[in-house]
Amino acid sequence: MELENPQKQKLLLEYLISSTDVFSLCQPILRSKYFDVTLERSVDFMLKYYNDYRAIPSPAQIQAETSNQLQLHKLTQDQTEYAIKEVETFCRRSAIKNSILESVQLYEKEDYGKIEANFRDAITTSVYRRAGVGLFENICELLGRLEQQPAIPTGYYEFDQILGGGLRRKEMLLLSANSGGGKSIVMANLGLNFLLNVGLKVLYLSFELPVEMVAKRYLSMVTHIGQREILERKSEIEHIMVQAHERLSSDLFIERLSVGTTPNQVRSFLREFELRRGFVPDVIILDYLDLMNPNEKVSADNVFEKDKRVSEQVHQILNDYNMIGITASQQNRSAVTAHELNHSHIAGGISKINTTDIYVSIIFNDMMRAAGEIHFEFLKTRSSDGVGKRIELRWNNTALRVENPDSSTKPLTFNGKKTDNKSVDAQKLEKHSSRLTDLVDL
């Protein structure tokens, strides 16, 4: 279909006003700027009339208001389907064309995030044909969905108990702590737990720490060899890691992106990751949220809006890729001396808490570090009654590990490769775990 064909455009408008079903389905994607200049006023009037009266104007009304003569058609089933398909195609192609033309000015303004967002919106322009899932009529489908989205244990017993079994795909966990209070370490520990205990594929994206530093921390976590001894015991570490890799069903990947990375750039990385690796990660760790920028330009003074957009856009990535998301934020100065923590103690915009599913504050000072303790306080849980609860865990300073209180008798475990056709998550949760020490032959 030629976009510039006024006769075709006029026919589509006539089909639109001939069927309430066709118009109501297509109305969300209609824009007057897509049409020939002689038809723009008619489209604007039709959209305004529908918005005001929830009905379609008659040809006589359209002619009186815009001087355009349109006629009604008695649509057959095939013409109805044709109209919906053609309007959808026309609007998508018009949106792509407009985004290309508008990108020139946006490029000159260096508003690259807006360019990416416009193109994404344009290519995803479509008629929404779904009508919801009936709670009672689709009970089998709903139960099947729940079965495919089980809670995945984090490896911390009390943590999982509070959350009803652990984290679920598409959920975002937001951690907060004072500067140097363990945000990156806790995120790294959670990622390693998901890899070793459940066999999930984990992607760690750092916006601050170099890959080498993150990897060095992970080497201590896996081998229990202190940071200062890493290079001195290189051959021993290499042997442990090679043997473990042969038995693990998955892996953990680390990459550093620049400060100011946008969610669209994370999407681009994920597309490249999937192209090169052949799969998408199950868990993504973003270290950390405060260092990201939204896709669109936002005033530096409007921190609330900046954090709101970043957190919403990150959450959408989790939904689109069916991943667990873990990220973090700084706490402000008032949190340092506070006896009771609350939402006001997070740095930047409180809007990021509104978007996240679970919000946990890390309590970890020098005294606790020396005593081998670290605490988590739950400040928001959407799917449980965990708000206000605090759990106490152990800190292993040599291995940089956050451990369960009784971890001395329960070392890290993991699962082998899948052997049946059950859902991946259910399969990983049911498998018998092996001790990490069983992996290697020292």
Side-chain angles (χ1 to χ4, degrees):
M1 180 187 72
E2 296 181 5
L3 295 181
E4 293 76 15
N5 185 344
Q7 288 299 113
K8 181 65 172 287
Q9 294 178 19
K10 183 178 179 181
L11 178 64
L12 291 180
L13 291 183
E14 290 178 344
Y15 281 175
L16 282 167
I17 65 172
S18 299
S19 168
T20 303
D21 292 338
V22 173
F23 192 92
S24 60
L25 279 173
C26 297
Q27 173 263 336
I29 64 173
L30 287 176
R31 303 289 185 273
S32 61
K33 63 182 180 181
Y34 296 163
F35 291 82
D36 186 80
V37 66
T38 60
L39 300 172
E40 285 186 0
R41 288 183 59 206
S42 295
V43 178
D44 279 331
F45 175 68
M46 290 160 57
L47 291 172
K48 185 177 186 305
Y49 191 93
Y50 185 83
N51 185 60
D52 291 342
Y53 305 107
R54 309 310 297 173
I56 305 171
S58 68
Q61 288 174 304
I62 294 173
Q63 183 176 4
E65 294 286 345
T66 69
S67 301
N68 280 325
Q69 293 183 352
L70 301 178
Q71 63 180 3
L72 296 178
H73 299 265
K74 189 174 182 180
L75 300 183
T76 60
Q77 181 62 35
D78 62 291
Q79 288 175 325
T80 298
E81 294 176 1
Y82 166 85
I84 295 172
K85 180 181 177 181
E86 289 299 304
V87 169
E88 181 180 56
T89 302
F90 169 74
C91 290
R92 183 186 300 115
R93 291 179 178 176
S94 298
I96 293 173
K97 175 184 175 181
N98 287 352
S99 66
I100 293 172
L101 297 175
E102 292 171 4
S103 65
V104 177
Q105 291 183 332
L106 293 172
Y107 181 83
E108 293 174 350
K109 296 178 182 178
E110 298 184 356
D111 195 350
Y112 307 120
K114 183 65 174 175
I115 294 174
E116 293 176 2
N118 284 350
F119 272 112
R120 187 179 69 251
D121 292 342
I123 62 178
T124 56
T125 298
S126 62
V127 173
Y128 201 77
R129 294 180 173 86
R130 290 181 292 177
V133 178
L135 178 61
F136 296 97
E137 70 177 354
N138 299 105
I139 184 61
C140 292
E141 179 185 346
L142 288 171
L143 290 173
R145 287 190 187 185
L146 293 175
E147 211 170 35
Q148 293 298 317
Q149 297 288 343
I152 303 174
T154 64
Y156 302 125
Y157 315 131
E158 290 183 78
F159 193 101
D160 295 333
Q161 186 178 19
I162 288 174
L163 297 180
L167 297 177
R168 292 168 176 81
R169 290 177 183 270
K170 302 181 182 180
E171 284 188 335
M172 184 165 76
L173 166 63
L174 176 66
L175 303 168
S176 72
N178 297 328
S179 180
K183 297 184 297 297
S184 298
I185 285 292
V186 170
M187 286 191 287
N189 271 271
L190 287 167
L192 189 60
N193 285 356
F194 280 127
L195 168 67
L196 298 178
N197 296 343
V198 194
L200 299 186
K201 304 175 186 70
V202 180
L203 173 62
Y204 189 114
L205 294 181
S206 173
F207 308 120
E208 184 177 40
L209 302 175
V211 171
E212 295 78 12
M213 182 177 291
V214 177
K216 188 179 178 184
R217 289 178 172 180
Y218 271 120
L219 291 178
S220 289
M221 292 179 190
V222 174
T223 65
H224 283 219
I225 295 174
Q227 293 281 281
R228 296 182 180 180
E229 300 178 77
I230 293 293
L231 294 180
E232 296 175 6
R233 300 170 65 178
K234 187 170 65 171
S235 59
E236 181 182 349
I237 289 174
E238 183 177 353
H239 180 68
I240 294 174
M241 298 300 290
V242 168
Q243 292 295 314
H245 185 256
E246 291 178 354
R247 299 292 186 89
L248 286 169
S249 60
S250 188
D251 206 340
L252 187 148
F253 306 89
I254 308 165
E255 187 57 83
R256 187 187 189 279
L257 302 183
S258 61
V259 173
T261 290
T262 67
N264 273 346
Q265 289 171 321
V266 172
R267 283 182 180 274
S268 297
F269 181 87
L270 287 170
R271 285 195 291 270
E272 181 71 15
F273 183 95
E274 183 178 12
L275 183 64
R276 291 179 178 273
R277 301 284 183 182
F279 57 84
V280 294
D282 302 298
V283 180
I284 187 169
I285 298 171
L286 301 172
D287 187 11
Y288 55 96
L289 196 70
D290 295 351
L291 299 178
M292 296 183 68
N293 283 336
N295 294 329
E296 309 82 10
K297 278 193 173 181
V298 175
S299 170
D301 297 328
N302 195 347
V303 180
F304 181 93
E305 183 64 22
K306 177 250 184 189
D307 285 349
K308 176 178 181 292
R309 294 195 186 191
V310 170
S311 54
E312 288 175 346
Q313 290 160 6
V314 166
H315 210 292
Q316 188 59 49
I317 292 175
L318 304 182
N319 277 273
D320 293 344
Y321 283 90
N322 196 31
M323 296 186 295
I324 292 172
I326 302 172
T327 188
S329 175
Q330 293 273 27
Q331 290 179 168
N332 54 34
R333 294 179 183 177
S334 60
V336 177
T337 57
H339 296 292
E340 292 186 7
L341 295 169
N342 56 56
H343 291 192
S344 69
H345 291 123
I346 198 165
I350 197 172
S351 53
K352 62 189 119 182
I353 300 177
N354 300 337
T355 303
T356 196
D357 300 290
I358 302 146
Y359 173 38
V360 175
S361 179
I362 302 167
I363 305 168
F364 189 46
N365 53 39
D366 291 339
M367 187 177 298
M368 296 173 67
R369 190 187 301 267
E373 296 179 2
I374 185 169
H375 297 175
F376 293 165
E377 184 165 343
F378 289 79
L379 299 180
K380 177 182 179 180
T381 55
R382 273 186 173 158
S383 56
S384 72
D385 61 350
V387 176
K389 294 181 179 179
R390 179 181 294 196
I391 63 173
E392 301 178 3
L393 298 170
R394 285 182 52 188
W395 167 247
N396 185 326
N397 194 56
T398 300
L400 304 181
R401 288 292 277 157
V402 177
E403 303 171 335
N404 287 297
D406 57 349
S407 59
S408 58
T409 58
K410 294 184 179 180
L412 282 174
T413 59
F414 76 95
N415 293 308
K417 297 181 179 179
K418 59 184 180 181
T419 56
D420 58 36
N421 295 320
K422 294 181 181 179
S423 70
V424 175
D425 288 341
Q427 184 179 184
K428 289 171 180 175
L429 293 175
E430 290 177 5
K431 286 183 179 178
H432 176 69
S433 296
S434 303
R435 291 174 180 267
L436 181 60
T437 50
D438 292 339
L439 286 176
V440 295
D441 182 17
L442 297 178

